[in-house]
Each structure stands twice: as structure tokens, then as C-alpha cells.
DNA sequence: AAAGCGCCCAACCGCCAGTAC
DNA sequence: TGTACTGGCGGTTGGGCGCTT
């Protein structure tokens, strides 16, 4: 027997310490390390410090790496819990306030024991803490002969069940989109504006609002979300958020109610979308329809909207059935008109198509944010808006299968507050986060003009979908953005931090993006040719590894060591492909839906 | 003083979904 | 398509603490 254990331990050593012993206690891979090697019980201060350091260096996503990096004798899973429940910043360490307690009871009446969900409404509180509080107070109330929850669940359920549309509970149809949160800067002041030969040079600032109310004819289960705005950018931003919300809802539906339909959803999602486009107003249409009526219902809705076209100047309705064909024709039209279109709104279809693709990319990227249930309200993408935009209704089949409670949860998701995506704190994570953008760039040049107030970025055709370059408003200038030293790392950083208005000019034939910086100086520089990326790679090598990774690894010396560690890291993150070129090009950007 | 008891809450555990391979 | 792995969630546990006897 002893021989066997020796043998096993040798094998374990060969496979990186993973236990070969498989049994009930090893059923969870988090615990697959020999559990006897893991400490249990209360955490010591020293352990907390080690964990804090590890999380500061590596972020709070990859707990297996954190476990290894920290040297803690605690399984990754426990490290995560310790961080979430006790160590993470901004955790409130004092008892629940009266307001918080009331909110917990209210939320529990709505969500039941979905503690993490309840916790998402209480900043600085962990699900565990709320769970404990609930059990404690429930016990207490039980002892006192009171109802377990002070909230009258019955009456709230009656309210829900008598509502024709579940969404009418808190947000009646046709009510405007909630205003952007205060954390969002005013669009015209902080977002990039986009110029294009395809589109008017000046953004359209006035759009007539229209009354568009198909719900009465779409049936009692229909819901329409209307976005009205005087600013086209604002509208598209609202649409962007609305679309993100719908995607999020669909995702949550899959998770909670009909996860077994995942594959079906994946295949059908695109075909089940209904796009409504109008220059005067933007509409997000969702309808709760019986499954067997999907096709006819879809046509009915489409026809209904078409009948109203007279009310909506130049509007277009594209049903799922002809969407692909339309896109194809639009794409070809766009190509043909590329050399002949100037001035305002000369190719609205092309712009629409472009807008759609951009939005798709954007939201795919959002969906790709792993384990995230957040909306990147502050991640402002350059987004061209002409007088055309599209609205996407969610997957009919998917929504049809929702129970009312699920829909209620969805409503909360739709209009409840969402937290922000954490800003990556190291260049490495910036790159990870925006790798998709850079994967699009096949050829890149970057140059500044004489005044230093503009610089120009020339991208390959494929990049047209993904440009997202902005500047930090607080530290804009030659020091912060010396173009010669503007490594790829710096670019990515800009993509996230910038809130200065930046105009992007798109010329014919190829994409030349002129980034204007509101009078701030940027050092002129010589154009970089298509070797820009590679050049920046070498630039990047000159910074210390520690700096490059934001302190994620210990600093090392020597190019080979640096390269080796970088490659190892990229392998871990699935970024590295057998390619000597810069890894931005290897980041595979795959749409989740 | 100490044993017993109950409460609290940090920590653990099992299960599940998503993802990569 | 199946499997392994990771991350997240909710239920449960158990050690520490305070109160009572």
C-alpha cells in the first residue's frame, strides 16, 4: 500500500501537484488539491494580508492563480469567499441600518433566497452577510410569533398577477428610458463624436420625438420601451444600454429558467430578432407571445409596424426573415457607394449597416465580459449615429418560456441599478479587456500634425468596426500620450480612461481616423507604418515587467525571461497562438450569440 | 467559577452553469 | 460531444462568544 501512495505522489508531482485520488471529496475541482494540505478554520491576519496582496496584483477573477501566487494553504474557492465576504474594499463593517433591513425584507419578498441578487442592491454588503441577517431575523420573528417576513408577500403577488404586463409594475410601457446615472458624463461633453464622409459632419442634435404606440394592437402581453431624445448620440447610447439590458435578460433567462434551451437559443437568437429603425424615434420592442404563434405573430407585428410607417418618416422595418438579405445588400451598396458618397446622409443604409455591426460588436464584447452582470455604462464607444438606428427585440421563444416570476426578475435587471465594470488596473488587463478591438487591426499608422492638436490613426479596413480611442481628460498631453512612446499598452489604456471629446474622421477608401483633442497638445510624430504593432511590442519590452503587468509579477531582467513569462501568461489566458507577431493579433474575438 | 445553552457569523460544502479543450 | 476545470450560489456547519443557571 505504501508503494502505491509513493507512486501516486510521484505522478501527482508530474502533473503539477493535482491529486490523483478521485472520490467524493474530490468531486469539486476547487478542492482537487490534496485537501490535507489546505488549512481550515479562521483566517489569520497574515493570511489576509497575503490574499490582499495577491488580489491587488492579479485582480479578483482568477482564483486558482491567486491561490498559487499567494502561497496560501487555502483552496482557491475559499480565497474567493474570504475576499468577497470580508476583505474586498468598500465592505461595510457595521450592522445593517434600518433602511438596509427594510430593503432586504422587500427584496426577499421579491426574489426569495437569491442572496447574491439581493446583495447586488446593497452596496458594500455580501450575500453571506445578508443571508445570515435574514436567518437571524426570521428566527427572531418566529420566536416572537410574527410572520417570518414583515413584507406582505400575498398582496405584492396579487399586484403582479393582476398586471397584464409584468413590466408594467414598475415601468409602464412607453415611459422613457431611465436617465443615465450620474456617473455617466453628459454625452456631448464626454463622449466621442464621429465624423464621416458617409454622414453629416456635424452631429444631428435635434430629432423630432414621435408618438409610436403599437402596444394596443400588439396584444396585452406586449411591451414597448421607447427612447426619446434630442440627441442622436444620446439615443444611440440609450439604445446601446437597452440592447445590453435585453442581452443581459436573455442571458439571465437562460441561466435561471430555461438553461436547457441554451443551444436552441444560440441558434435562433438572430433569426428571432425584430429590428425597427426610424430616424425619428428609437423603439425597443419586446413581446410575450405564445410559442406556436411565433411566426405569424412576428409577421403580424411587422405588418402592424409597417402600417404605421406613414407616421414615421423614412422608417424601415426589417423582419428576421429578410434581415440577412438586407444586410448583404446594404453591405454591397456600402461598398459601391464608398467612392461616390459625400456630404450628409447620402448613404443611410450603409450607415445603418455599419451602426448595426458596431453595436453587435459592442454588445458581444459586453457579453464576453466573463462572470459579469454589469453594464458598462461608462465605457463609451465611438459610435457613429446617423439619422438611422436599429432596435432589437429579444428572442421570442426565450421570452415566451419565462414564468411571470422570471419576468419580474428580469424587470428588475432591466431597470435596477447595475454596478460598473471595474476598470482594469494594469496594462495587461487593459489589453485583455480590449483585445477584441485590436484583433481587428491589420495595418496601423499613427501620426500627429504640426499643431500637435490632432493626430491621425490609419487603420486597416477590418478595424472599422472597432475603433475606440479616447484620451484621459485629466492628464492629456505630450507627457501622457507621447505618440512615439505610445505603445500598444498606452493605447489600450486610453480606450478605457478617456472622456474627452474625440472626433473621428472616416475618409473614403480607407479609414483615416482623425482624433481631435479639444485644443490640447499632442506631440507631432512621424507616421508609423504597418509595423506599428510590432514596433510597439518592442517598445513594450523596454518597460519593466512589473510595470507592464501592473505589478502582477515580480520584475525580472533579460528579454528572454520577459518573453517567456509573457508567453506563459498569455497561454494561461488563452491569448497566445504560435505566432511571433504581437499577440493582439491572436486574440480571437468570438460572439457569444 | 464553570458547565450548559443558544446565537451569530465566518467558513465550508455541494451543486450547477459556463467555458475550454 | 464529452470531459475537466473554474467560478458562483445557496444551504449548512461549527467555533467563538455571551448569557444563564
Amino acid at each position: 500500500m505504501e508503494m502505491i501512495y509513493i507512486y501516486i505522489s510521484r505522478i501527482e508531482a508530474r502533473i503539477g501537484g493535482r491529486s490523483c485520488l478521485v472520490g467524493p471529496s474530490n468531486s469539486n475541482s476547487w478542492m482537487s488539491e490534496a485537501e490535507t494540505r489546505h488549512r481550515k478554520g479562521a483566517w489569520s491576519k497574515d493570511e489576509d494580508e497575503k490574499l490582499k496582496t495577491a488580489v491587488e496584483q492579479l485582480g479578483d477573477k482568477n482564483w486558482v492563480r491567486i491561490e498559487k501566487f499567494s502561497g496560501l494553504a487555502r483552496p482557491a474557492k475559499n480565497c474567493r469567499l474570504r475576499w468577497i465576504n470580508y476583505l474586498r474594499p468598500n465592505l461595510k463593517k457595521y450592522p445593517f441600518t434600518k433602511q438596509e433591513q427594510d430593503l432586504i425584507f422587500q427584496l426577499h419578498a421579491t426574489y426569495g433566497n437569491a442572496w447574491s441578487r439581493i446583495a447586488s442592491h446593497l452596496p458594500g454588503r455580501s450575500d453571506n452577510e445578508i443571508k445570515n441577517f435574514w436567518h437571524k431575523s426570521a428566527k427572531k420573528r418566529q420566536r416572537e410569533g410574527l410572520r417570518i417576513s414583515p413584507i406582505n408577500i400575498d398582496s405584492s403577488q396579487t399586484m403582479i398577477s393582476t398586471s397584464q404586463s409584468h413590466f408594467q409594475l414598475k415601468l409602464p410601457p412607453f415611459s422613457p428610458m431611465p436617465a443615465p446615472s450620474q456617473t455617466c458624463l453628459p454625452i456631448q461633453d464626454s463622449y466621442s463624436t464621429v465624423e464621416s464622409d458617409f454622414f453629416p459632419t456635424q452631429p444631428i442634435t435635434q430629432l423630432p420625438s414621435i408618438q409610436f404606440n403599437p402596444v394596443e394592437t400588439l396584444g396585452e402581453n406586449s411591451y414597448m420601451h421607447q427612447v426619446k431624445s434630442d440627441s442622436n448620440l444620446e439615443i444611440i447610447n440609450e439604445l446601446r444600454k437597452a440592447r445590453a439590458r435585453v442581452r443581459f435578460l436573455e442571458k439571465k433567462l437562460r441561466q435561471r429558467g430555461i438553461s436547457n434551451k441554451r443551444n436552441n437559443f444560440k441558434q435562433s437568437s438572430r433569426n428571432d430578432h425584430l429590428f425597427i429603425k426610424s430616424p425619428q424615434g428609437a423603439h425597443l420592442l419586446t413581446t410575450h407571445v405564445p410559442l406556436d404563434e411565433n411566426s405569424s405573430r412576428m409577421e403580424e407585428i411587422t405588418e402592424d409596424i409597417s402600417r404605421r410607417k406613414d407616421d414615421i418618416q423614412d422608417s424601415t422595418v426589417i423582419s428576421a426573415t429578410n434581415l440577412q438579405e438586407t444586410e448583404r445588400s446594404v453591405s454591397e451598396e456600402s461598398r459601391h457607394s464608398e467612392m461616390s458618397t459625400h456630404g450628409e446622409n447620402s448613404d443611410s443604409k450603409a450607415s445603418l449597416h455599419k451602426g448595426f455591426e458596431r453595436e453587435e460588436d459592442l454588445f458581444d464584447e459586453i457579453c464576453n465580459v466573463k462572470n459579469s452582470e454589469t453594464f458598462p455604462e461608462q465605457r463609451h464607444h465611438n459610435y457613429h449615429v446617423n439619422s438611422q438606428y436599429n432596435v432589437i427585440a429579444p428572442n421570442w421563444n426565450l421570452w415566451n418560456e419565462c414564468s411571470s416570476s422570471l419576468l419580474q426578475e428580469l424587470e428588475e435587471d432591466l431597470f435596477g441599478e447595475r454596478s460598473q465594470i471595474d476598470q482594469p488596473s494594469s496594462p495587461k488587463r487593459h489589453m485583455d479587456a480590449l483585445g477584441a478591438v485590436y484583433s481587428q487591426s491589420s495595418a496601423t499608422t499613427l501620426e500627429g500634425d504640426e499643431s500637435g492638436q490632432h493626430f491621425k490613426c490609419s487603420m486597416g479596413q477590418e478595424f472599422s468596426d472597432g475603433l475606440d480611442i479616447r484620451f484621459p481628460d485629466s492628464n492629456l498631453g505630450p507627457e501622457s500620450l507621447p505618440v512615439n512612446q505610445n505603445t500598444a499598452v498606452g493605447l489600450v489604456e486610453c480606450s478605457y480612461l478617456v472622456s474627452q471629446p474625440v472626433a473621428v474622421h472616416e475618409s473614403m477608401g480607407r479609414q483615416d481616423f482623425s482624433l481631435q483633442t479639444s485644443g490640447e497638445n499632442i506631440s507631432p510624430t512621424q507616421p508609423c507604418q504597418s509595423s506599428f504593432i510590432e514596433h510597439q511590442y518592442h517598445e513594450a519590452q523596454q518597460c519593466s515587467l512589473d510595470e507592464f503587468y501592473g505589478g502582477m509579477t515580480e520584475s525580472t531582467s533579460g528579454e528572454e525571461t520577459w518573453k517567456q513569462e509573457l508567453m506563459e501568461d498569455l497561454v494561461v489566458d488563452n491569448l497566445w497562438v504560435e505566432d511571433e507577431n504581437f499577440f493582439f493579433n491572436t486574440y480571437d474575438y468570438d460572439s457569444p450569440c
Side-chain angles (χ1 to χ4, degrees), chain A residues 69-138:
Chain A
F69 180 87
S70 65
L72 287 166
R74 302 272 187 175
K77 196 171 183 173
N78 292 2
C79 293
R80 175 182 163 271
L81 279 174
R82 181 65 180 172
W83 175 257
I84 287 173
N85 293 330
Y86 193 79
L87 293 176
R88 99 181 121 97
N90 304 323
L91 265 182
K92 294 173 182 169
K93 299 287 176 65
Y94 50 88
F96 287 106
T97 64
K98 181 72 173 61
Q99 285 81 4
E100 284 177 321
Q101 293 180 20
D102 291 344
L103 185 57
I104 290 171
F105 288 125
Q106 281 176 17
L107 291 169
H108 189 271
T110 304
Y111 298 139
N113 293 358
W115 305 115
S116 64
R117 190 164 178 70
I118 294 170
S120 69
H121 293 266
L122 289 111
R125 301 293 187 181
S126 72
D127 54 354
N128 207 36
E129 195 179 7
I130 292 167
K131 183 171 55 182
N132 285 335
F133 165 77
W134 172 260
H135 287 314
K136 182 177 71 177
S137 60

Side-chain angles (χ1 to χ4, degrees), chain A residues 211-240:
Chain A
Q211 294 301 317
F212 182 68
N213 186 350
V215 172
E216 58 195 71
T217 51
L218 292 181
E220 62 181 25
N221 285 326
S222 298
Y223 169 75
M224 187 167 197
H225 184 80
Q226 187 171 20
V227 178
K228 290 182 190 174
S229 174
D230 290 338
S231 157
N232 57 343
L233 282 178
E234 198 171 332
I235 285 176
I236 207 67
N237 194 47
E238 292 300 325
L239 285 177
R240 178 174 67 79

Side-chain angles (χ1 to χ4, degrees), chain A residues 79-362:
Chain A
C79 293
R80 175 182 163 271
L81 279 174
R82 181 65 180 172
W83 175 257
I84 287 173
N85 293 330
Y86 193 79
L87 293 176
R88 99 181 121 97
N90 304 323
L91 265 182
K92 294 173 182 169
K93 299 287 176 65
Y94 50 88
F96 287 106
T97 64
K98 181 72 173 61
Q99 285 81 4
E100 284 177 321
Q101 293 180 20
D102 291 344
L103 185 57
I104 290 171
F105 288 125
Q106 281 176 17
L107 291 169
H108 189 271
T110 304
Y111 298 139
N113 293 358
W115 305 115
S116 64
R117 190 164 178 70
I118 294 170
S120 69
H121 293 266
L122 289 111
R125 301 293 187 181
S126 72
D127 54 354
N128 207 36
E129 195 179 7
I130 292 167
K131 183 171 55 182
N132 285 335
F133 165 77
W134 172 260
H135 287 314
K136 182 177 71 177
S137 60
K139 244 182 188 175
K140 192 179 170 190
R141 294 181 67 82
Q142 214 165 17
R143 269 199 313 271
E144 292 167 356
L146 301 168
R147 304 163 56 91
I148 288 178
S149 169
I151 301 294
N152 189 338
I153 298 171
D154 291 337
S155 63
S156 73
Q157 281 174 345
T158 308
M159 249 175 63
I160 295 165
S161 61
T162 53
S163 170
Q164 285 187 338
S165 165
H166 307 292
F167 293 102
Q168 288 174 357
L169 263 177
K170 292 176 185 167
L171 189 73
F174 323 118
S175 61
M177 196 80 165
S181 67
Q182 288 184 338
T183 53
C184 284
L185 298 165
I187 290 170
Q188 290 295 346
D189 292 336
S190 60
Y191 288 32
S192 301
T193 56
V194 183
E195 295 177 5
S196 168
D197 285 344
F198 287 156
F199 315 118
T201 303
Q202 295 301 319
I204 300 167
T205 55
Q206 294 294 322
L207 286 173
S209 296
I210 58 161
Q211 294 301 317
F212 182 68
N213 186 350
V215 172
E216 58 195 71
T217 51
L218 292 181
E220 62 181 25
N221 285 326
S222 298
Y223 169 75
M224 187 167 197
H225 184 80
Q226 187 171 20
V227 178
K228 290 182 190 174
S229 174
D230 290 338
S231 157
N232 57 343
L233 282 178
E234 198 171 332
I235 285 176
I236 207 67
N237 194 47
E238 292 300 325
L239 285 177
R240 178 174 67 79
K241 286 189 280 187
R243 173 77 196 286
R245 288 179 169 114
V246 168
R247 293 284 289 267
F248 175 75
L249 301 186
E250 291 180 340
K251 183 180 160 193
K252 296 308 288 182
L253 273 180
R254 292 201 306 267
Q255 283 177 358
R256 290 174 192 166
I258 48 177
S259 58
N260 56 331
K261 301 284 181 186
R262 182 163 56 100
N263 291 332
N264 295 339
F265 168 66
K266 260 189 164 178
Q267 287 159 9
S268 66
S269 64
R270 193 171 177 86
N271 290 337
D272 286 338
H273 283 153
L274 178 66
F275 298 85
I276 310 165
K277 303 168 295 177
S278 158
Q280 283 84 10
H283 308 276
L284 174 65
L285 179 70
T286 68
T287 300
H288 190 202
V289 292
L291 190 62
D292 56 352
E293 291 179 20
N294 268 343
S295 304
S296 59
R297 190 68 174 147
M298 190 82 158
E299 287 169 17
E300 188 185 329
I301 294 165
T302 306
E303 283 171 16
D304 180 77
I305 295 166
S306 295
R307 277 198 299 276
R308 292 164 179 270
K309 276 179 64 176
D310 291 343
D311 302 330
I312 312 168
Q313 192 186 348
D314 296 332
S315 71
T316 314
V317 175
I318 300 177
S319 72
T321 49
N322 67 1
L323 176 63
Q324 277 194 326
E325 194 181 329
T326 306
E327 282 187 343
R328 204 178 304 117
S329 65
V330 163
S331 182
E332 282 179 16
E333 246 180 279
S334 167
R335 259 199 300 280
H336 286 137
S337 60
E338 228 172 29
M339 301 301 292
S340 60
T341 52
H342 296 274
E344 74 172 25
N345 201 18
S346 55
D347 193 346
S348 59
K349 282 186 176 179
S351 71
L352 174 66
H353 174 64
K354 177 176 284 295
F356 167 68
E357 292 295 341
R358 293 280 302 272
E359 192 173 54
E360 280 291 300
D361 288 348
L362 173 60

